[in-house]
Amino acid sequence: MADKEATVYIVDVGRSMGGKSQGRQQSDLEWAMLYVWDKITSTVATDRKTATLGVIGLRTVGTANELAEEESFANISVLQDIKQTLLPDLQRLRNLIKLSKTNDGDAISAIVLAIEAITKYCKKLKYKRKIVLVTNGQGSLDTDDVSEITSKIKEDNIELVILGVDFDDADYGFKEEDKDSEKAENEAILKSLADSCDGVFGTLAQAIEELGIPRLKMTRPVNSYKDQLTLGDPEQYDTAMSIDVERFPRTMIRRPASASQYVHRTDLSNRQASVSSSATILPDVDALGGEPSAPNTNGLAAVRNARSYQVEDDTAPGGKRDVTRDELAKGYEYGRTAVHISESDESITSLDTKAALEIVGFIPWNSYDRYMSMSTSNVIIAQKTNSKAIIALSSLIHALFELESFAIARLVPKANKSPVLVLLAPSIEVDYECLLDVQIPFAEDVRSYKFAPLDRIVTVSGKVLKEHRNLPNEALCSAMSDYVDSLDLSSFGKDDDGNPMEYMQMTDTFSSVLHRIDQAVRWRAVHPEQPIPPPYDILTKFSRIPDDLEVSSKSKLIKLMEAADVKKVPPKLRGRKRQRERVAPLSGLDVSALLATSRSKISSDNPIPEFRQMLETTEDPNGIVDAASQLINIIEKHVKDSFGDSSYDRVIAEMTALREEMIEMEEPGLWNDWLKKLKEKLRGDSLGAGRNELWWRIRKDKLGLVIKSEMEVSDIGDDEARQFLSK
């Protein structure tokens, strides 16, 4: 379980925070809020009730705090009491934190209010307590009770962090030139306060720069096995080994945040809501009471999927009959046949197992291939309070290490679970010893495949060729070897003393997918209308070759290209098919031309191939219009004759073919004009009642208007296309 946290952020919103310093395009307040919002949204993202925070506004126009009657606490407002913060709270804070019209307000008094809020909320309970002050150091400071404040902070074990806009920091290497005397004096006072409290004092530039470094999530491991490690059967033999152990995860795969489906409430009408579909929109329901909760401020409703089952039935309308899930039987594939096994007989397929970790054999280190590992790794240690087990496991670990051997064990984590094979490897460090385990395959899991050799070619007659146009020659191999050596990263980096070191160390390599999604979600939570900023440099640093290394290896690359005879491939032409030159076959006999037939009519039984064949044989623009018109009539006929949604898959396939071909023929207008008419016909029930689900399918498959980015001759912009699909 994670520690309880209580953090109070003090944000300076004084008038002087509206200035733009050091050539920045943002005001000091906007720049400072980059740090504050990042920290707050990171806390919100944890979704922990024990991760609480409060916000205090410094140098506000009004006064809103418990000590407002005292003059020194004027122009300080408590914007949010300490509590768990959710998305609606973020939206409310975004509206409250605005630049004020006054410079009055005491930062030290704000710290006193933060201490009071933490003391009142946390009482004597165990909390990680923290106060973060973000200010530009302007205004007056009341230093009368600084010593008492310092004592209280130390007594309550509160961490004080003071970050200043353009504060001097020798360690970071920043010093503001021509600093105002009042700001310099306030800086000294705040630095003295932070130092006396064993807190943190720094410049805001460094804090914002470090936001790009991903914060690793620390989790408390939960054991996946707590029983005995055995060698032999302890129930039958006295000489069998049995050690009480626990198993914990050592590495885990972290998945990116998952997205859920929502729909805009404004898209629903009474008529649409009555239509059954595969995506059912439900109102927000309170998880505890079952009553509808307050409407979402963003106008979204959750989408839940409903599944239906059909079986073939010639007597039913449409040839299919709906069945319930209870009527279904479970079957297993046997070749191409489904074999039914009843629930009463299915028990024979499950093994009656009990939790166990049994050593079944030993293998030497050099006989194990790393590619055999099938899972993440785990740690096996002796039970912490069992000294006998600790000594016994240590003996086994040292025996494996001295004999350079691995143990193979059969693991059943819990009763009635399927057994797996694991490899046990000894690990001896300075302060601890353990066994590392990883899952390995059974004999049935191993598949052997044979591939043609890469260094020779074997002909049909069995002759071995060492030289061939598909084999690299010595010059190419040498050039490739030199190029690879020139890209060596093992010593390309530099340490603090300038000595060579590994460039791409494991501890500095982060998953760009995980942290980019996290960055985007946190930014959009606070700035719903602004574009998402580019990814942090640390996430893209290793996705490209270093500039210095690219320059130094360029000569090797040129030699490699010459040895490989690399030639530039001309870009693929995108234009009218009828204007393209046909590639003549080497034999001079064009089979396609011999088999091609002129087609003037498209049948509804096989419309897509015939439509494409008609386009291939026409060179007249009127022929393109004729072919498109025929397919459009067929599509509308299929929609009109469809029983429910039975023909929708066919209609979507035909529409996809029409759209693709109109782009290829540079005739987006034909598609765009017809799609607008189709939307009106579906909404107006011209093609049958209740066809709105087809429009939902069109939106889902992204069969919208052809825009300029897809085809330059189109006159449809991105915004127009987006609005057309959303309505």
Side-chain angles (χ1 to χ4, degrees):
M1 182 177 178
D3 295 329
K4 298 179 180 178
E5 301 176 7
T7 305
V8 176
Y9 293 91
I10 304 173
V11 182
D12 188 348
V13 296
R15 185 177 59 192
S16 62
M17 290 286 286
K20 299 179 181 179
S21 308
Q22 304 297 322
R24 292 186 292 268
Q25 299 298 320
Q26 303 164 295
S27 67
D28 291 348
L29 178 59
E30 293 172 339
W31 190 55
M33 289 308 297
L34 293 177
Y35 172 82
V36 176
W37 286 133
D38 186 272
K39 293 299 183 181
I40 291 178
T41 52
S42 297
T43 303
V44 174
T46 62
D47 196 27
R48 285 171 36 217
K49 292 184 178 181
T50 56
T52 59
L53 62 90
V55 181
I56 295 176
L58 171 62
R59 297 199 291 175
T60 57
V61 173
T63 303
N65 61 74
E66 295 181 350
L67 303 177
E69 297 179 356
E70 301 184 26
E71 183 179 355
S72 59
F73 293 94
N75 300 107
I76 302 175
S77 301
V78 178
L79 305 181
Q80 176 181 297
D81 293 324
I82 300 178
K83 65 174 185 176
Q84 182 190 11
T85 303
L86 304 175
L87 183 58
D89 300 314
L90 278 180
Q91 297 170 342
R92 187 178 63 84
L93 284 174
R94 188 162 55 90
N95 296 327
L96 291 176
I97 300 178
K98 301 290 185 182
L99 192 68
S100 74
K101 299 180 180 179
T102 181
N103 282 328
D104 296 333
D106 178 22
I108 294 181
S109 298
I111 294 176
V112 173
L113 288 174
I115 296 173
E116 181 68 22
I118 290 177
T119 303
K120 182 178 179 181
Y121 180 82
C122 300
K123 300 180 176 65
K124 297 296 183 180
L125 301 177
K126 184 179 180 181
Y127 271 86
K128 292 178 66 176
R129 311 168 191 222
K130 187 176 183 179
I131 298 174
V132 180
L133 169 62
V134 179
T135 179
N136 64 353
Q138 301 287 350
S140 59
L141 297 179
D142 184 1
T143 59
D144 292 342
D145 301 322
V146 169
S147 58
E148 297 179 6
I149 295 172
T150 302
S151 301
K152 181 63 175 176
I153 291 176
K154 288 184 176 181
E155 178 184 343
D156 291 350
N157 196 22
I158 299 175
E159 180 185 2
L160 177 62
V161 178
I162 300 177
L163 299 174
V165 177
D166 300 329
F167 277 12
D168 296 342
D169 192 331
D171 295 335
Y172 181 66
F174 177 81
K175 181 176 177 61
E176 184 181 14
E177 301 295 337
D178 302 326
K179 188 187 295 288
D180 180 74
S181 58
E182 182 184 33
K183 181 178 180 180
E185 182 181 353
N186 289 342
E187 266 189 54
I189 295 173
L190 293 175
K191 186 176 188 307
S192 175
L193 175 61
D195 292 342
S196 60
C197 299
D198 298 327
V200 177
F201 178 89
T203 184
L204 190 61
Q206 182 180 5
I208 293 178
E209 181 181 309
E210 292 178 352
L211 292 179
I213 302 176
R215 291 174 289 276
L216 302 183
K217 183 180 179 182
M218 303 300 294
T219 58
R220 293 186 178 180
V222 178
N223 61 47
S224 56
Y225 177 81
K226 186 177 181 180
D227 211 308
Q228 293 183 335
L229 168 65
T230 61
L231 177 59
D233 188 355
E235 296 181 358
Q236 296 186 18
Y237 304 101
D238 296 336
T239 57
M241 182 189 74
S242 177
I243 306 173
D244 294 326
V245 297
E246 294 183 65
R247 181 174 182 256
F248 294 92
R250 186 171 187 256
T251 57
M252 296 289 288
I253 300 176
R254 182 184 169 189
R255 308 291 182 185
S258 59
S260 301
Q261 292 181 335
Y262 293 89
V263 66
H264 286 282
R265 293 178 182 274
T266 54
D267 290 348
L268 299 178
S269 62
N270 293 332
R271 179 169 54 84
Q272 286 177 287
S274 63
V275 178
S276 176
S277 68
S278 59
T280 305
I281 303 167
L282 301 176
D284 295 336
V285 178
D286 181 68
L288 296 178
E291 297 295 331
S293 60
N296 291 335
T297 57
N298 53 10
L300 296 178
V303 176
R304 296 184 183 178
N305 296 326
R307 188 184 298 271
S308 61
Y309 302 91
Q310 293 181 327
V311 296
E312 295 182 358
D313 188 350
D314 296 335
T315 62
K320 293 184 178 181
R321 175 171 55 88
D322 291 337
V323 295
T324 63
R325 183 179 176 84
D326 296 337
E327 298 179 72
L328 300 179
K330 184 176 291 187
Y332 294 87
E333 287 188 5
Y334 183 70
R336 299 194 174 201
T337 307
V339 178
H340 167 61
I341 298 181
S342 63
E343 293 185 5
S344 58
D345 295 335
E346 193 174 1
S347 59
I348 65 174
T349 64
S350 59
L351 296 176
D352 185 14
T353 59
K354 61 179 181 179
L357 179 58
E358 304 165 339
I359 296 177
V360 296
F362 300 91
I363 60 172
W365 289 355
N366 55 13
S367 65
Y368 179 74
D369 296 318
R370 294 290 295 272
Y371 62 80
M372 301 293 284
S373 301
M374 297 176 56
S375 68
T376 57
S377 58
N378 297 272
V379 176
I380 296 177
I381 60 174
Q383 290 186 2
K384 299 177 182 178
T385 58
N386 191 333
S387 57
K388 182 179 178 180
I390 293 174
I391 296 174
L393 185 62
S394 177
S395 301
L396 175 61
I397 293 171
H398 280 268
L400 290 173
F401 183 80
E402 292 173 5
L403 296 176
E404 298 184 351
S405 299
F406 294 138
I408 306 296
R410 174 182 179 272
L411 171 65
V412 180
K414 294 181 180 179
N416 297 323
K417 290 286 186 179
S418 300
V420 296
L421 280 182
V422 294
L423 180 85
L424 304 182
S427 176
I428 301 176
E429 302 294 339
V430 176
D431 51 350
Y432 71 93
E433 300 172 347
C434 67
L435 288 174
L436 303 179
D437 83 73
V438 64
Q439 184 180 347
I440 58 176
F442 288 99
E444 295 82 0
D445 299 325
V446 179
R447 299 288 186 270
S448 298
Y449 298 94
K450 292 184 178 181
F451 298 93
L454 299 177
D455 59 345
R456 63 189 182 277
I457 291 179
V458 182
T459 64
V460 177
S461 61
K463 184 178 179 181
V464 179
L465 301 179
K466 293 290 186 178
E467 295 183 0
H468 190 270
R469 60 185 179 87
N470 293 334
L471 293 177
N473 53 35
E474 293 185 5
L476 180 57
C477 291
S478 177
M480 176 59 75
S481 178
D482 293 341
Y483 179 62
V484 172
D485 292 341
S486 67
L487 297 176
D488 184 15
L489 298 177
S490 61
S491 59
F492 181 75
K494 302 291 183 183
D495 60 13
D496 296 336
D497 299 328
N499 299 320
M501 62 175 291
E502 184 180 356
Y503 173 72
M504 188 176 174
Q505 295 189 4
M506 186 65 69
T507 54
D508 297 331
T509 309
F510 302 95
S511 171
S512 56
V513 174
L514 293 174
H515 300 292
R516 176 58 174 165
I517 292 178
D518 181 56
Q519 176 195 7
V521 172
R522 288 189 284 111
W523 176 270
R524 186 47 55 88
V526 181
H527 308 90
E529 304 297 333
Q530 297 183 18
I532 297 174
Y536 295 122
D537 291 339
I538 196 170
L539 299 181
T540 59
K541 177 181 179 181
F542 300 124
S543 64
R544 58 185 182 272
I545 183 173
D547 295 336
D548 295 341
L549 194 61
E550 183 177 13
V551 173
S552 62
S553 62
K554 188 174 183 180
S555 60
K556 304 293 184 182
L557 177 60
I558 294 174
K559 292 181 179 179
L560 174 62
M561 295 173 65
E562 293 174 352
D565 193 21
V566 176
K567 297 179 181 179
K568 186 175 182 180
V569 178
K572 182 180 179 181
L573 296 177
R574 184 182 182 87
R576 297 180 185 270
K577 289 183 177 179
R578 61 180 180 274
Q579 293 180 352
R580 296 180 183 172
E581 295 183 2
R582 295 182 179 273
V583 179
L586 297 176
S587 63
L589 180 63
D590 192 348
V591 179
S592 299
L594 294 175
L595 298 178
T597 58
S598 177
R599 181 175 294 278
S600 60
K601 186 172 179 60
I602 303 173
S603 67
S604 59
D605 297 330
N606 193 27
I608 296 178
E610 294 180 3
F611 169 65
R612 286 175 171 158
Q613 187 180 18
M614 187 173 178
L615 290 179
E616 287 287 345
T617 57
T618 184
E619 296 183 358
D620 183 9
N622 294 329
I624 300 175
V625 176
D626 181 34
S629 300
Q630 291 189 45
L631 183 58
I632 287 172
N633 293 333
I634 292 173
I635 293 173
E636 293 184 353
K637 183 178 183 301
H638 287 164
V639 175
K640 192 171 184 178
D641 296 343
S642 175
F643 183 78
D645 61 353
S646 60
S647 298
Y648 285 178
D649 290 338
R650 184 178 186 180
V651 169
I652 292 298
E654 293 167 349
M655 291 181 65
T656 302
L658 177 61
R659 190 178 190 275
E660 291 176 351
E661 293 299 326
M662 291 302 98
I663 293 176
E664 288 289 338
M665 306 298 283
E666 290 189 352
E667 294 289 351
L670 292 176
W671 166 264
N672 292 339
D673 294 341
W674 172 70
L675 188 62
K676 294 177 182 178
K677 296 177 183 178
L678 177 64
K679 181 179 180 181
E680 295 177 359
K681 292 180 180 180
L682 293 176
R683 295 292 174 88
D685 295 340
S686 300
L687 300 177
R691 300 300 184 192
N692 292 293
E693 186 176 353
L694 177 59
W695 185 251
W696 178 82
R697 289 285 304 275
I698 293 173
R699 293 174 57 190
K700 176 186 174 185
D701 289 276
K702 300 180 180 180
L703 296 177
L705 300 174
V706 178
I707 58 179
K708 291 182 180 179
S709 60
E710 294 179 280
M711 179 59 60
E712 293 182 358
V713 297
S714 174
D715 57 355
I716 304 296
D718 293 348
D719 295 338
E720 181 181 353
R722 194 179 301 110
Q723 292 178 1
F724 176 77
L725 275 183
S726 62
K727 292 182 180 180

